[in-house]
Amino acid sequence: MCFMHDARLKKSLALIQLGTFLEYFDLVLYIHMAVILNKIFFMDSDPYTASLLATLTFSSTYVLRPLGALFFGYLGDHYGRKSTVVITTLLMSLCSFTIASLPGYAEIGIASSIILIICRMLQGFSSVGEFIGAQVYISEITKPPRSYFYTSMVIVSASLGGVFALLIANLLTFLNPVNGWRTAFYFGSAIALVGSIARNYLRETPEFLKGRRERNKDKNAPSIIAPKNYRKNLLCYVGIDCIGPMCFYLTFIYLGGILGSQYGLDSYQIIRQNLYVAIIDAIFTFLWARSALRFYPFKVLKFRGSIFLCVGLVLPFLASWSTSPLHIFMIQMLLVIFGPSSVPADALLIRSFPIIGRYTSASLAYALSRMIMYPLTSFGCFFVGQYFGFPGIAGVLCFFTCLYLVAVRNFQPAHCEITFNADIPEQKTSKKTAAQGVLRSSA
């Protein structure tokens, strides 16, 4: 297995993480400013219709993701990882510029709503290629156990992009409540363009180049053929990724709406509270990623899922006792701290697929989980919340947490993915301990 030299590796890691940070700034910016933008790009209507339109716009981002997974997966598996992550960042920049320049509903009517939804769909189309492309790239230039940490750091970079988006949204809406959002999107477009240019300095991964040579020589090479458990792992990957979108929506969208409707917070106050929650989310995502340097990643996933199942059972009681925005903040913290996700097992999930086909497989699993869960969660919370309140939502959350734990239990990592504790410079272990790591990884 080929890996990059230290100097080039650090540069590549920095460029990949920077690009993800900038792209997710653009992607998440709209989500956190939706409380402002929905009033500008949609006609005035009753609260029920307004909520339904906002849900439709949010869900539209995920409709094209499976097509994006197939399209960018094909590019990534046939033409290289580098070119794909450059193209996706450039497309995100273009969409942000269009949104910033788009006249509101008062100027051009329903056309503004349609163009906005198309831009959001294109952002979703490109984001799946960028995010998975970044993770595939890092997983192929680093070795275990550090690859577990570095690959999961892509999610940390995405979280930091969301924090920065909230920070800019918070600042600009305070300084210019009317048109500050346009400045934020122009700023996002500019920095995404910078990220696209910076990624041109990346080099293709040695592992992909090796896999492409094997494919050209022999179509039946081991790195090309899908393993026997391919379909099972693909379904388990989708199951593991399903709970994350639900936690995100509940934390920032659903509970954000409650802050406005029940507690009378204005748009600026909701954005500010979500900023604090996003900072906590980024910190704990980093800590969960860091845990892979000491614990086998799938043990961490099982621990997170078990804890969150307990959290889901007490959520209805916490919601019924809440009487202030501070109580909602505490519920948001529980969701972001203990909400299960693929961190820190991202590298193991990705590398269970063959080199040529890996980009497409991982992108498709990621896209399907988002396409299924975000619309299901957004419309589900809308209707389940109407009829059953928070107990009904918590019941659905517990169901998908159980599905997550089943998927974690049944996923089979590739046999070559071995955790060697001796690879960690800070920790010296005996041969017996290293051998135990081998047995754990192949179990």
Side-chain angles (χ1 to χ4, degrees), residues 191-206:
I191 63 175
L193 181 61
V194 170
S196 180
I197 295 171
R199 283 182 165 184
N200 276 297
Y201 293 95
L202 290 171
R203 295 188 181 184
E204 193 51 77
T205 70

Side-chain angles (χ1 to χ4, degrees), residues 244-388:
M246 190 172 189
C247 291
F248 180 88
Y249 185 88
L250 284 173
T251 302
F252 293 104
I253 311 300
Y254 185 77
L255 292 177
I258 289 177
L259 290 172
S261 61
Q262 294 187 15
Y263 298 103
L265 270 63
D266 59 27
S267 301
Y268 174 74
Q269 291 171 318
I270 294 172
I271 291 173
R272 183 177 59 187
Q273 178 154 322
N274 281 347
L275 171 62
Y276 300 147
V277 176
I279 292 172
I280 295 170
D281 182 28
I283 292 171
F284 276 88
T285 301
F286 172 79
L287 294 176
W288 287 120
R290 188 76 181 173
S291 68
L293 296 177
R294 292 190 173 274
F295 304 101
Y296 185 61
F298 273 84
K299 285 192 172 182
V300 178
L301 296 192
K302 291 176 183 177
F303 174 77
R304 293 185 67 177
S306 301
I307 293 294
F308 193 68
L309 190 58
C310 299
V311 171
L313 294 174
V314 301
L315 276 181
F317 302 101
L318 296 177
S320 64
W321 294 333
S322 80
T323 56
S324 70
L326 179 61
H327 294 154
I328 298 297
F329 179 72
M330 294 173 66
I331 295 174
Q332 288 176 307
M333 283 200 301
L334 285 174
L335 289 171
V336 299
I337 291 173
F338 297 108
S341 69
S342 57
V343 178
D346 301 280
L348 285 169
L349 295 170
I350 291 168
R351 293 180 64 82
S352 67
F353 304 116
I355 296 172
I356 305 301
R358 177 177 294 167
Y359 203 135
T360 302
S361 301
S363 297
L364 191 59
Y366 179 83
L368 286 174
S369 68
R370 268 64 187 169
M371 187 195 73
I372 294 169
M373 288 308 299
Y374 273 122
L376 184 63
T377 301
S378 55
F379 285 103
C381 285
F382 181 78
F383 290 110
V384 172
Q386 288 276 333
Y387 295 102
F388 302 101

